[in-house]
PDB file of all heavy atoms in Angstrom:
ATOM      1  N   LYS T1137     -10.438 118.073  50.450  1.00 92.00           N
ATOM      2  CA  LYS T1137     -11.840 118.015  50.029  1.00 92.00           C
ATOM      3  C   LYS T1137     -12.055 118.740  48.706  1.00 92.00           C
ATOM      4  O   LYS T1137     -12.824 118.283  47.843  1.00 92.00           O
ATOM      5  CB  LYS T1137     -12.727 118.629  51.108  1.00 92.00           C
ATOM      6  CG  LYS T1137     -14.234 118.506  50.813  1.00 92.00           C
ATOM      7  CD  LYS T1137     -15.054 119.076  51.948  1.00 92.00           C
ATOM      8  CE  LYS T1137     -16.549 118.853  51.738  1.00 92.00           C
ATOM      9  NZ  LYS T1137     -17.030 119.484  50.494  1.00 92.00           N
ATOM     10  N   GLU T1138     -11.384 119.864  48.519  1.00 92.00           N
ATOM     11  CA  GLU T1138     -11.531 120.616  47.267  1.00 92.00           C
ATOM     12  C   GLU T1138     -11.192 119.746  46.063  1.00 92.00           C
ATOM     13  O   GLU T1138     -11.867 119.802  45.028  1.00 92.00           O
ATOM     14  CB  GLU T1138     -10.606 121.832  47.280  1.00 92.00           C
ATOM     15  CG  GLU T1138     -10.595 122.587  45.950  1.00 92.00           C
ATOM     16  CD  GLU T1138      -9.407 123.540  45.820  1.00 92.00           C
ATOM     17  OE1 GLU T1138      -8.627 123.684  46.781  1.00 92.00           O
ATOM     18  OE2 GLU T1138      -9.279 124.130  44.729  1.00 92.00           O
ATOM     19  N   VAL T1139     -10.154 118.921  46.220  1.00 94.00           N
ATOM     20  CA  VAL T1139      -9.723 118.069  45.113  1.00 94.00           C
ATOM     21  C   VAL T1139     -10.689 116.903  44.926  1.00 94.00           C
ATOM     22  O   VAL T1139     -11.043 116.547  43.799  1.00 94.00           O
ATOM     23  CB  VAL T1139      -8.283 117.565  45.341  1.00 94.00           C
ATOM     24  CG1 VAL T1139      -7.851 116.619  44.221  1.00 94.00           C
ATOM     25  CG2 VAL T1139      -7.319 118.741  45.440  1.00 94.00           C
ATOM     26  N   ARG T1140     -11.131 116.289  46.040  1.00 94.00           N
ATOM     27  CA  ARG T1140     -12.103 115.197  45.921  1.00 94.00           C
ATOM     28  C   ARG T1140     -13.401 115.683  45.277  1.00 94.00           C
ATOM     29  O   ARG T1140     -14.007 114.997  44.468  1.00 94.00           O
ATOM     30  CB  ARG T1140     -12.398 114.578  47.291  1.00 94.00           C
ATOM     31  CG  ARG T1140     -11.250 113.784  47.884  1.00 94.00           C
ATOM     32  CD  ARG T1140     -11.758 112.781  48.917  1.00 94.00           C
ATOM     33  NE  ARG T1140     -12.623 113.383  49.921  1.00 94.00           N
ATOM     34  CZ  ARG T1140     -12.198 113.945  51.039  1.00 94.00           C
ATOM     35  NH1 ARG T1140     -10.903 113.983  51.313  1.00 94.00           N
ATOM     36  NH2 ARG T1140     -13.054 114.456  51.909  1.00 94.00           N
ATOM     37  N   ASP T1141     -13.814 116.887  45.651  1.00 94.00           N
ATOM     38  CA  ASP T1141     -15.036 117.458  45.087  1.00 94.00           C
ATOM     39  C   ASP T1141     -14.852 117.919  43.648  1.00 94.00           C
ATOM     40  O   ASP T1141     -15.829 118.184  42.937  1.00 94.00           O
ATOM     41  CB  ASP T1141     -15.505 118.644  45.927  1.00 94.00           C
ATOM     42  CG  ASP T1141     -15.985 118.235  47.309  1.00 94.00           C
ATOM     43  OD1 ASP T1141     -16.217 117.021  47.510  1.00 94.00           O
ATOM     44  OD2 ASP T1141     -16.122 119.110  48.176  1.00 94.00           O
ATOM     45  N   GLY T1142     -13.593 117.989  43.220  1.00 96.00           N
ATOM     46  CA  GLY T1142     -13.312 118.473  41.867  1.00 96.00           C
ATOM     47  C   GLY T1142     -13.924 117.597  40.786  1.00 96.00           C
ATOM     48  O   GLY T1142     -14.293 118.094  39.717  1.00 96.00           O
ATOM     49  N   ALA T1143     -14.042 116.300  41.053  1.00 96.00           N
ATOM     50  CA  ALA T1143     -14.624 115.401  40.059  1.00 96.00           C
ATOM     51  C   ALA T1143     -16.056 115.806  39.747  1.00 96.00           C
ATOM     52  O   ALA T1143     -16.439 115.957  38.580  1.00 96.00           O
ATOM     53  CB  ALA T1143     -14.573 113.956  40.560  1.00 96.00           C
ATOM     54  N   SER T1144     -16.858 116.021  40.791  1.00 96.00           N
ATOM     55  CA  SER T1144     -18.245 116.438  40.578  1.00 96.00           C
ATOM     56  C   SER T1144     -18.310 117.814  39.926  1.00 96.00           C
ATOM     57  O   SER T1144     -19.149 118.064  39.048  1.00 96.00           O
ATOM     58  CB  SER T1144     -18.999 116.465  41.910  1.00 96.00           C
ATOM     59  OG  SER T1144     -19.108 115.169  42.454  1.00 96.00           O
ATOM     60  N   GLU T1145     -17.411 118.696  40.337  1.00 97.00           N
ATOM     61  CA  GLU T1145     -17.399 120.044  39.778  1.00 97.00           C
ATOM     62  C   GLU T1145     -17.076 120.000  38.282  1.00 97.00           C
ATOM     63  O   GLU T1145     -17.719 120.690  37.470  1.00 97.00           O
ATOM     64  CB  GLU T1145     -16.367 120.902  40.514  1.00 97.00           C
ATOM     65  CG  GLU T1145     -16.373 122.364  40.100  1.00 97.00           C
ATOM     66  CD  GLU T1145     -15.335 123.180  40.852  1.00 97.00           C
ATOM     67  OE1 GLU T1145     -14.740 122.653  41.805  1.00 97.00           O
ATOM     68  OE2 GLU T1145     -15.113 124.344  40.458  1.00 97.00           O
ATOM     69  N   LEU T1146     -16.095 119.181  37.915  1.00 97.00           N
ATOM     70  CA  LEU T1146     -15.715 119.071  36.507  1.00 97.00           C
ATOM     71  C   LEU T1146     -16.859 118.503  35.674  1.00 97.00           C
ATOM     72  O   LEU T1146     -17.169 118.998  34.586  1.00 97.00           O
ATOM     73  CB  LEU T1146     -14.476 118.189  36.366  1.00 97.00           C
ATOM     74  CG  LEU T1146     -14.003 117.918  34.936  1.00 97.00           C
ATOM     75  CD1 LEU T1146     -13.615 119.226  34.236  1.00 97.00           C
ATOM     76  CD2 LEU T1146     -12.820 116.947  34.932  1.00 97.00           C
ATOM     77  N   MET T1147     -17.516 117.451  36.191  1.00 97.00           N
ATOM     78  CA  MET T1147     -18.592 116.828  35.441  1.00 97.00           C
ATOM     79  C   MET T1147     -19.803 117.762  35.308  1.00 97.00           C
ATOM     80  O   MET T1147     -20.416 117.853  34.246  1.00 97.00           O
ATOM     81  CB  MET T1147     -19.013 115.512  36.109  1.00 97.00           C
ATOM     82  CG  MET T1147     -17.897 114.487  36.207  1.00 97.00           C
ATOM     83  SD  MET T1147     -17.012 114.218  34.664  1.00 97.00           S
ATOM     84  CE  MET T1147     -18.298 113.537  33.647  1.00 97.00           C
ATOM     85  N   ASN T1148     -20.119 118.471  36.379  1.00 96.00           N
ATOM     86  CA  ASN T1148     -21.279 119.377  36.339  1.00 96.00           C
ATOM     87  C   ASN T1148     -21.024 120.579  35.434  1.00 96.00           C
ATOM     88  O   ASN T1148     -21.908 121.011  34.686  1.00 96.00           O
ATOM     89  CB  ASN T1148     -21.639 119.843  37.750  1.00 96.00           C
ATOM     90  CG  ASN T1148     -22.269 118.748  38.582  1.00 96.00           C
ATOM     91  OD1 ASN T1148     -22.892 117.831  38.060  1.00 96.00           O
ATOM     92  ND2 ASN T1148     -22.088 118.816  39.893  1.00 96.00           N
ATOM     93  N   HIS T1149     -19.817 121.121  35.503  1.00 97.00           N
ATOM     94  CA  HIS T1149     -19.499 122.263  34.651  1.00 97.00           C
ATOM     95  C   HIS T1149     -19.468 121.841  33.181  1.00 97.00           C
ATOM     96  O   HIS T1149     -19.951 122.560  32.298  1.00 97.00           O
ATOM     97  CB  HIS T1149     -18.158 122.864  35.051  1.00 97.00           C
ATOM     98  CG  HIS T1149     -17.803 124.101  34.292  1.00 97.00           C
ATOM     99  ND1 HIS T1149     -18.678 125.149  34.126  1.00 97.00           N
ATOM    100  CD2 HIS T1149     -16.666 124.452  33.623  1.00 97.00           C
ATOM    101  CE1 HIS T1149     -18.091 126.112  33.400  1.00 97.00           C
ATOM    102  NE2 HIS T1149     -16.882 125.700  33.079  1.00 97.00           N
ATOM    103  N   SER T1150     -18.929 120.658  32.916  1.00 97.00           N
ATOM    104  CA  SER T1150     -18.898 120.139  31.544  1.00 97.00           C
ATOM    105  C   SER T1150     -20.320 119.922  31.036  1.00 97.00           C
ATOM    106  O   SER T1150     -20.635 120.218  29.874  1.00 97.00           O
ATOM    107  CB  SER T1150     -18.112 118.826  31.495  1.00 97.00           C
ATOM    108  OG  SER T1150     -16.768 119.017  31.878  1.00 97.00           O
ATOM    109  N   ARG T1151     -21.172 119.410  31.897  1.00 96.00           N
ATOM    110  CA  ARG T1151     -22.572 119.191  31.520  1.00 96.00           C
ATOM    111  C   ARG T1151     -23.250 120.508  31.156  1.00 96.00           C
ATOM    112  O   ARG T1151     -24.018 120.591  30.195  1.00 96.00           O
ATOM    113  CB  ARG T1151     -23.316 118.531  32.686  1.00 96.00           C
ATOM    114  CG  ARG T1151     -24.764 118.166  32.381  1.00 96.00           C
ATOM    115  CD  ARG T1151     -25.457 117.589  33.618  1.00 96.00           C
ATOM    116  NE  ARG T1151     -26.746 117.002  33.272  1.00 96.00           N
ATOM    117  CZ  ARG T1151     -27.872 117.681  33.135  1.00 96.00           C
ATOM    118  NH1 ARG T1151     -27.861 119.007  33.316  1.00 96.00           N
ATOM    119  NH2 ARG T1151     -28.995 117.066  32.817  1.00 96.00           N
ATOM    120  N   TYR T1152     -22.956 121.539  31.920  1.00 96.00           N
ATOM    121  CA  TYR T1152     -23.527 122.861  31.663  1.00 96.00           C
ATOM    122  C   TYR T1152     -23.111 123.379  30.294  1.00 96.00           C
ATOM    123  O   TYR T1152     -23.904 124.014  29.583  1.00 96.00           O
ATOM    124  CB  TYR T1152     -23.083 123.821  32.769  1.00 96.00           C
ATOM    125  CG  TYR T1152     -23.349 125.279  32.492  1.00 96.00           C
ATOM    126  CD1 TYR T1152     -24.632 125.794  32.621  1.00 96.00           C
ATOM    127  CD2 TYR T1152     -22.319 126.122  32.090  1.00 96.00           C
ATOM    128  CE1 TYR T1152     -24.882 127.146  32.358  1.00 96.00           C
ATOM    129  CE2 TYR T1152     -22.557 127.460  31.824  1.00 96.00           C
ATOM    130  CZ  TYR T1152     -23.837 127.966  31.956  1.00 96.00           C
ATOM    131  OH  TYR T1152     -24.074 129.293  31.694  1.00 96.00           O
ATOM    132  N   ILE T1153     -21.876 123.081  29.897  1.00 96.00           N
ATOM    133  CA  ILE T1153     -21.346 123.555  28.621  1.00 96.00           C
ATOM    134  C   ILE T1153     -22.008 122.851  27.445  1.00 96.00           C
ATOM    135  O   ILE T1153     -22.262 123.450  26.400  1.00 96.00           O
ATOM    136  CB  ILE T1153     -19.817 123.333  28.580  1.00 96.00           C
ATOM    137  CG1 ILE T1153     -19.118 124.291  29.551  1.00 96.00           C
ATOM    138  CG2 ILE T1153     -19.265 123.497  27.165  1.00 96.00           C
ATOM    139  CD1 ILE T1153     -17.643 123.996  29.727  1.00 96.00           C
ATOM    140  N   LEU T1154     -22.320 121.588  27.606  1.00 95.00           N
ATOM    141  CA  LEU T1154     -22.834 120.787  26.498  1.00 95.00           C
ATOM    142  C   LEU T1154     -24.233 121.235  26.071  1.00 95.00           C
ATOM    143  O   LEU T1154     -25.024 121.687  26.903  1.00 95.00           O
ATOM    144  CB  LEU T1154     -22.883 119.312  26.899  1.00 95.00           C
ATOM    145  CG  LEU T1154     -21.542 118.601  27.080  1.00 95.00           C
ATOM    146  CD1 LEU T1154     -21.757 117.226  27.702  1.00 95.00           C
ATOM    147  CD2 LEU T1154     -20.817 118.462  25.738  1.00 95.00           C
ATOM    148  N   PRO T1155     -24.567 121.063  24.790  1.00 92.00           N
ATOM    149  CA  PRO T1155     -25.940 121.329  24.340  1.00 92.00           C
ATOM    150  C   PRO T1155     -26.929 120.410  25.052  1.00 92.00           C
ATOM    151  O   PRO T1155     -26.579 119.288  25.452  1.00 92.00           O
ATOM    152  CB  PRO T1155     -25.882 121.006  22.840  1.00 92.00           C
ATOM    153  CG  PRO T1155     -24.438 121.104  22.471  1.00 92.00           C
ATOM    154  CD  PRO T1155     -23.673 120.685  23.686  1.00 92.00           C
ATOM    155  N   ASP T1156     -28.160 120.857  25.181  1.00 93.00           N
ATOM    156  CA  ASP T1156     -29.183 120.085  25.888  1.00 93.00           C
ATOM    157  C   ASP T1156     -29.327 118.674  25.339  1.00 93.00           C
ATOM    158  O   ASP T1156     -29.531 117.716  26.098  1.00 93.00           O
ATOM    159  CB  ASP T1156     -30.542 120.798  25.801  1.00 93.00           C
ATOM    160  CG  ASP T1156     -30.585 122.067  26.640  1.00 93.00           C
ATOM    161  OD1 ASP T1156     -29.676 122.272  27.463  1.00 93.00           O
ATOM    162  OD2 ASP T1156     -31.535 122.860  26.463  1.00 93.00           O
ATOM    163  N   ALA T1157     -29.236 118.525  24.027  1.00 91.00           N
ATOM    164  CA  ALA T1157     -29.464 117.219  23.393  1.00 91.00           C
ATOM    165  C   ALA T1157     -28.433 116.177  23.805  1.00 91.00           C
ATOM    166  O   ALA T1157     -28.679 114.972  23.686  1.00 91.00           O
ATOM    167  CB  ALA T1157     -29.450 117.365  21.873  1.00 91.00           C
ATOM    168  N   LEU T1158     -27.294 116.614  24.311  1.00 93.00           N
ATOM    169  CA  LEU T1158     -26.209 115.694  24.651  1.00 93.00           C
ATOM    170  C   LEU T1158     -26.145 115.369  26.141  1.00 93.00           C
ATOM    171  O   LEU T1158     -25.362 114.515  26.556  1.00 93.00           O
ATOM    172  CB  LEU T1158     -24.862 116.282  24.213  1.00 93.00           C
ATOM    173  CG  LEU T1158     -24.735 116.638  22.730  1.00 93.00           C
ATOM    174  CD1 LEU T1158     -23.394 117.311  22.467  1.00 93.00           C
ATOM    175  CD2 LEU T1158     -24.878 115.400  21.862  1.00 93.00           C
ATOM    176  N   ARG T1159     -26.954 116.025  26.941  1.00 93.00           N
ATOM    177  CA  ARG T1159     -26.800 115.907  28.390  1.00 93.00           C
ATOM    178  C   ARG T1159     -27.266 114.567  28.946  1.00 93.00           C
ATOM    179  O   ARG T1159     -26.712 114.073  29.932  1.00 93.00           O
ATOM    180  CB  ARG T1159     -27.527 117.066  29.090  1.00 93.00           C
ATOM    181  CG  ARG T1159     -26.827 118.397  28.863  1.00 93.00           C
ATOM    182  CD  ARG T1159     -27.567 119.566  29.485  1.00 93.00           C
ATOM    183  NE  ARG T1159     -26.847 120.813  29.267  1.00 93.00           N
ATOM    184  CZ  ARG T1159     -27.305 122.013  29.589  1.00 93.00           C
ATOM    185  NH1 ARG T1159     -28.515 122.114  30.154  1.00 93.00           N
ATOM    186  NH2 ARG T1159     -26.597 123.094  29.348  1.00 93.00           N
ATOM    187  N   ASP T1160     -28.283 113.971  28.335  1.00 90.00           N
ATOM    188  CA  ASP T1160     -28.758 112.682  28.831  1.00 90.00           C
ATOM    189  C   ASP T1160     -27.670 111.622  28.702  1.00 90.00           C
ATOM    190  O   ASP T1160     -27.394 110.875  29.647  1.00 90.00           O
ATOM    191  CB  ASP T1160     -30.013 112.250  28.066  1.00 90.00           C
ATOM    192  CG  ASP T1160     -30.652 111.006  28.675  1.00 90.00           C
ATOM    193  OD1 ASP T1160     -30.999 111.041  29.864  1.00 90.00           O
ATOM    194  OD2 ASP T1160     -30.791 109.999  27.957  1.00 90.00           O
ATOM    195  N   ALA T1161     -27.036 111.565  27.540  1.00 92.00           N
ATOM    196  CA  ALA T1161     -25.954 110.606  27.343  1.00 92.00           C
ATOM    197  C   ALA T1161     -24.774 110.925  28.258  1.00 92.00           C
ATOM    198  O   ALA T1161     -24.121 110.017  28.796  1.00 92.00           O
ATOM    199  CB  ALA T1161     -25.510 110.608  25.878  1.00 92.00           C
ATOM    200  N   TRP T1162     -24.493 112.210  28.457  1.00 95.00           N
ATOM    201  CA  TRP T1162     -23.393 112.608  29.343  1.00 95.00           C
ATOM    202  C   TRP T1162     -23.642 112.127  30.777  1.00 95.00           C
ATOM    203  O   TRP T1162     -22.746 111.594  31.427  1.00 95.00           O
ATOM    204  CB  TRP T1162     -23.240 114.126  29.332  1.00 95.00           C
ATOM    205  CG  TRP T1162     -22.180 114.654  30.251  1.00 95.00           C
ATOM    206  CD1 TRP T1162     -22.345 115.174  31.494  1.00 95.00           C
ATOM    207  CD2 TRP T1162     -20.772 114.686  29.984  1.00 95.00           C
ATOM    208  NE1 TRP T1162     -21.138 115.537  32.035  1.00 95.00           N
ATOM    209  CE2 TRP T1162     -20.157 115.253  31.131  1.00 95.00           C
ATOM    210  CE3 TRP T1162     -19.989 114.305  28.909  1.00 95.00           C
ATOM    211  CZ2 TRP T1162     -18.776 115.436  31.204  1.00 95.00           C
ATOM    212  CZ3 TRP T1162     -18.607 114.486  28.992  1.00 95.00           C
ATOM    213  CH2 TRP T1162     -18.020 115.048  30.133  1.00 95.00           C
ATOM    214  N   ASP T1163     -24.872 112.316  31.245  1.00 94.00           N
ATOM    215  CA  ASP T1163     -25.201 111.883  32.606  1.00 94.00           C
ATOM    216  C   ASP T1163     -24.981 110.381  32.784  1.00 94.00           C
ATOM    217  O   ASP T1163     -24.546 109.927  33.843  1.00 94.00           O
ATOM    218  CB  ASP T1163     -26.652 112.229  32.933  1.00 94.00           C
ATOM    219  CG  ASP T1163     -26.854 113.720  33.168  1.00 94.00           C
ATOM    220  OD1 ASP T1163     -25.875 114.410  33.496  1.00 94.00           O
ATOM    221  OD2 ASP T1163     -27.997 114.188  33.020  1.00 94.00           O
ATOM    222  N   MET T1164     -25.303 109.606  31.748  1.00 92.00           N
ATOM    223  CA  MET T1164     -25.138 108.165  31.846  1.00 92.00           C
ATOM    224  C   MET T1164     -23.693 107.734  31.633  1.00 92.00           C
ATOM    225  O   MET T1164     -23.288 106.658  32.086  1.00 92.00           O
ATOM    226  CB  MET T1164     -26.043 107.466  30.829  1.00 92.00           C
ATOM    227  CG  MET T1164     -27.529 107.586  31.149  1.00 92.00           C
ATOM    228  SD  MET T1164     -27.957 106.950  32.800  1.00 92.00           S
ATOM    229  CE  MET T1164     -27.521 105.218  32.607  1.00 92.00           C
ATOM    230  N   ALA T1165     -22.899 108.575  30.962  1.00 93.00           N
ATOM    231  CA  ALA T1165     -21.500 108.218  30.700  1.00 93.00           C
ATOM    232  C   ALA T1165     -20.587 108.559  31.872  1.00 93.00           C
ATOM    233  O   ALA T1165     -19.534 107.937  32.050  1.00 93.00           O
ATOM    234  CB  ALA T1165     -21.003 108.931  29.439  1.00 93.00           C
ATOM    235  N   GLN T1166     -20.977 109.544  32.676  1.00 94.00           N
ATOM    236  CA  GLN T1166     -20.121 109.930  33.803  1.00 94.00           C
ATOM    237  C   GLN T1166     -20.171 108.862  34.893  1.00 94.00           C
ATOM    238  O   GLN T1166     -21.160 108.153  35.044  1.00 94.00           O
ATOM    239  CB  GLN T1166     -20.534 111.307  34.337  1.00 94.00           C
ATOM    240  CG  GLN T1166     -21.969 111.408  34.829  1.00 94.00           C
ATOM    241  CD  GLN T1166     -22.187 110.955  36.267  1.00 94.00           C
ATOM    242  OE1 GLN T1166     -21.252 110.962  37.083  1.00 94.00           O
ATOM    243  NE2 GLN T1166     -23.397 110.534  36.592  1.00 94.00           N
ATOM    244  N   LYS T1167     -19.117 108.721  35.656  1.00 92.00           N
ATOM    245  CA  LYS T1167     -19.068 107.711  36.713  1.00 92.00           C
ATOM    246  C   LYS T1167     -18.836 108.321  38.089  1.00 92.00           C
ATOM    247  O   LYS T1167     -18.448 107.613  39.021  1.00 92.00           O
ATOM    248  CB  LYS T1167     -17.995 106.666  36.392  1.00 92.00           C
ATOM    249  CG  LYS T1167     -16.598 107.235  36.249  1.00 92.00           C
ATOM    250  CD  LYS T1167     -15.614 106.190  35.713  1.00 92.00           C
ATOM    251  CE  LYS T1167     -15.347 105.073  36.676  1.00 92.00           C
ATOM    252  NZ  LYS T1167     -14.265 104.175  36.181  1.00 92.00           N
ATOM    253  N   VAL T1168     -19.064 109.612  38.210  1.00 93.00           N
ATOM    254  CA  VAL T1168     -18.830 110.304  39.477  1.00 93.00           C
ATOM    255  C   VAL T1168     -20.070 110.288  40.354  1.00 93.00           C
ATOM    256  O   VAL T1168     -20.005 110.091  41.564  1.00 93.00           O
ATOM    257  CB  VAL T1168     -18.370 111.759  39.213  1.00 93.00           C
ATOM    258  CG1 VAL T1168     -18.248 112.517  40.529  1.00 93.00           C
ATOM    259  CG2 VAL T1168     -17.045 111.768  38.453  1.00 93.00           C
ATOM    260  N   ASP T1169     -21.243 110.485  39.744  1.00 94.00           N
ATOM    261  CA  ASP T1169     -22.502 110.574  40.490  1.00 94.00           C
ATOM    262  C   ASP T1169     -23.378 109.377  40.121  1.00 94.00           C
ATOM    263  O   ASP T1169     -24.197 109.446  39.199  1.00 94.00           O
ATOM    264  CB  ASP T1169     -23.205 111.890  40.169  1.00 94.00           C
ATOM    265  CG  ASP T1169     -24.419 112.153  41.057  1.00 94.00           C
ATOM    266  OD1 ASP T1169     -24.864 111.210  41.742  1.00 94.00           O
ATOM    267  OD2 ASP T1169     -24.927 113.296  41.043  1.00 94.00           O
ATOM    268  N   ILE T1170     -23.214 108.291  40.862  1.00 94.00           N
ATOM    269  CA  ILE T1170     -23.952 107.064  40.564  1.00 94.00           C
ATOM    270  C   ILE T1170     -25.443 107.256  40.820  1.00 94.00           C
ATOM    271  O   ILE T1170     -26.289 106.740  40.081  1.00 94.00           O
ATOM    272  CB  ILE T1170     -23.421 105.886  41.411  1.00 94.00           C
ATOM    273  CG1 ILE T1170     -21.915 105.716  41.179  1.00 94.00           C
ATOM    274  CG2 ILE T1170     -24.169 104.607  41.073  1.00 94.00           C
ATOM    275  CD1 ILE T1170     -21.539 105.471  39.748  1.00 94.00           C
ATOM    276  N   GLU T1171     -25.786 107.992  41.862  1.00 95.00           N
ATOM    277  CA  GLU T1171     -27.202 108.191  42.187  1.00 95.00           C
ATOM    278  C   GLU T1171     -27.945 108.900  41.053  1.00 95.00           C
ATOM    279  O   GLU T1171     -29.104 108.586  40.776  1.00 95.00           O
ATOM    280  CB  GLU T1171     -27.336 108.990  43.487  1.00 95.00           C
ATOM    281  CG  GLU T1171     -26.908 108.221  44.726  1.00 95.00           C
ATOM    282  CD  GLU T1171     -27.666 106.902  44.885  1.00 95.00           C
ATOM    283  OE1 GLU T1171     -28.911 106.914  44.704  1.00 95.00           O
ATOM    284  OE2 GLU T1171     -27.037 105.882  45.173  1.00 95.00           O
ATOM    285  N   ARG T1172     -27.280 109.845  40.416  1.00 93.00           N
ATOM    286  CA  ARG T1172     -27.917 110.524  39.288  1.00 93.00           C
ATOM    287  C   ARG T1172     -28.221 109.523  38.177  1.00 93.00           C
ATOM    288  O   ARG T1172     -29.304 109.550  37.579  1.00 93.00           O
ATOM    289  CB  ARG T1172     -27.014 111.632  38.743  1.00 93.00           C
ATOM    290  CG  ARG T1172     -27.577 112.304  37.487  1.00 93.00           C
ATOM    291  CD  ARG T1172     -26.631 113.316  36.886  1.00 93.00           C
ATOM    292  NE  ARG T1172     -26.543 114.523  37.688  1.00 93.00           N
ATOM    293  CZ  ARG T1172     -25.783 115.574  37.385  1.00 93.00           C
ATOM    294  NH1 ARG T1172     -25.053 115.560  36.293  1.00 93.00           N
ATOM    295  NH2 ARG T1172     -25.757 116.634  38.158  1.00 93.00           N
TER     296      ARG T1172
END
């Protein structure tokens, strides 16, 4: 489970690192959280 959950963890942590102006495009570019 830790490894399966790693995808969401990586995407969320990367999103946190990015400047605010880039987060909307990042959310749409990621393919881990379809509901988002």
